[in-house]
Amino acid sequence: MGAEDTKETMGPLAPRPRRSFIFVPGLRPEMYPKALSCGADIVCVELEDGIAPGDKAEARKLGLSLFGQPPADDGVERILRINSIRERFGIEDVLAVLAAESPPPALMMPKVRTPDEVVMLDRLLGEAGHSTRLHVIIETNAGLEAAFDIARCSDRIDALFFGGVDMAAELRCENAWEPLLHARSRVVHAAAGAGLDVIDVPYLDLDDPAGMRLEAERARDLGFAGKGSVHPKQIATLNEVFTPSADQIARARRIIARFEAAGTGLVVIDGKLIEKPVLRNMHRIVAIADRMGK
């Protein structure tokens, strides 16, 4: 099955909460259950930057073993971050995933520079019969330039992630909100144009919770669906910031119900014209509400 065939048989999955995510080192499988219970919407097993070159093979073996059993129905999205497929470690990661009887439900692709990388992995997963989804990190200048094409190149993609640390290094700017605002905005626009979620980079200063909240609020207002964390103690704040209000949840349910009843591409609610493209975000709001039992 090639990439084009995959596009015909796969499609974007139903929206789901992606307010927060946290990494678990592939070398530390004992940390996985705790991460799954910390409240994060996404738990990502790490094979890339957090693993030294000499430990890559062991991390790959231990990390993939965590996906050997069907996941519990706990609402947590499970992802494996592989190494860049432009490098040997990334190629070895892909080969291991392709050979796995129980592959991860999703892979996070770092340092993506061109759509070709995603299309190639899409094709390989299709040939292996894997339904594995893809999450793509835009953290290089080349990737930023091609973000719009990358976002549209595969129907396996569920979300774009903004990698601020590497992006700041490539752009030779300070890793701060203002210098990276243009880059952030481009990633948001690319994701929105393709109907994808977009997730912001973690806030690195654990001793500045007020700063983290402010940056999360700015990211939310810019269009991000969530933000990463570097410690479980950040999760509650992130979930709070990216959780819609009761009024927003009620409005989303009304809009969805009105569209279902109308069977048209637009409806009028409270005197305002609402077109069908907003439905994906309304469904994401309801998915967050359902995860919280609201």
Side-chain angles (χ1 to χ4, degrees):
M1 180 184 292
E4 293 303 315
D5 296 319
T6 302
K7 279 177 169 288
E8 294 177 3
T9 57
M10 300 186 68
L13 297 183
R16 62 182 301 164
R18 294 189 171 107
R19 300 165 297 172
S20 55
F21 76 88
I22 194 166
F23 286 110
V24 173
L27 286 173
R28 300 287 304 277
E30 72 277 7
M31 296 175 64
Y32 190 55
K34 183 177 181 181
L36 291 173
S37 64
C38 76
D41 287 334
I42 302 173
V43 172
C44 185
V45 177
E46 165 72 317
L47 302 184
E48 196 219 5
D49 283 346
I51 306 297
D55 294 326
K56 295 284 190 183
E58 182 68 9
R60 183 184 306 117
K61 176 183 175 182
L62 293 173
L64 277 172
S65 71
L66 296 174
F67 301 96
Q69 300 295 325
D73 185 17
D74 54 10
V76 180
E77 188 170 11
R78 292 150 167 84
I79 302 177
L80 178 72
R81 179 159 79 166
I82 60 176
N83 290 273
S84 169
I85 64 172
R86 291 176 173 270
E87 303 170 355
R88 174 173 63 89
F89 292 126
I91 294 172
E92 292 171 351
D93 291 341
V94 171
L95 291 174
V97 169
L98 296 177
E101 292 185 7
S102 298
L107 299 177
M108 184 181 289
M109 299 181 66
K111 299 179 176 62
V112 172
R113 294 177 176 271
T114 67
D116 292 345
E117 298 170 56
V118 182
V119 171
M120 181 177 70
L121 183 53
D122 181 324
R123 181 179 296 116
L124 291 172
L125 290 167
E127 290 173 351
H130 292 345
S131 60
T132 301
R133 308 296 296 179
L134 297 176
H135 296 250
V136 175
I137 310 179
I138 304 298
E139 55 186 334
T140 68
N141 198 31
L144 187 65
E145 184 68 21
F148 287 80
D149 292 330
I150 290 170
R152 294 166 173 79
C153 73
S154 168
D155 280 345
R156 288 183 188 267
I157 302 175
D158 284 331
L160 297 186
F161 285 66
F162 177 65
V165 176
D166 288 86
M167 185 68 72
E170 285 235 341
L171 297 179
R172 295 170 291 181
C173 70
E174 184 182 356
N175 181 15
W177 182 261
E178 288 79 8
L180 290 175
L181 180 57
H182 172 71
R184 269 189 172 94
S185 298
R186 277 189 61 89
V187 177
V188 169
H189 293 175
L196 306 176
D197 282 334
V198 58
I199 318 298
D200 195 31
V201 64
Y203 190 80
L204 302 180
D205 189 348
L206 281 174
D207 296 325
D208 183 18
M212 186 200 71
R213 176 182 285 274
L214 176 60
E215 187 168 281
E217 291 171 346
R218 286 174 168 175
R220 176 200 62 201
D221 294 345
L222 195 63
F224 284 92
K227 187 173 179 63
S229 67
V230 292
H231 191 278
K233 71 180 185 180
Q234 296 177 319
I235 296 295
T237 298
L238 294 177
N239 286 347
E240 178 188 341
V241 168
F242 289 98
T243 294
S245 68
D247 287 344
Q248 289 173 316
I249 292 170
R251 182 173 181 272
R253 294 192 190 279
R254 286 179 60 205
I255 290 173
I256 292 170
R258 186 70 63 85
F259 269 107
E260 289 175 348
T264 63
L266 55 86
V267 297
V268 177
I269 294 181
D270 298 330
K272 295 182 179 179
L273 187 68
I274 299 176
E275 296 183 284
K276 202 166 187 177
V278 306
L279 274 178
R280 178 175 176 82
N281 190 46
M282 298 301 103
H283 282 290
R284 181 171 61 81
I285 289 173
V286 170
I288 293 172
D290 290 344
R291 175 151 164 72
M292 298 179 64
K294 292 188 176 183

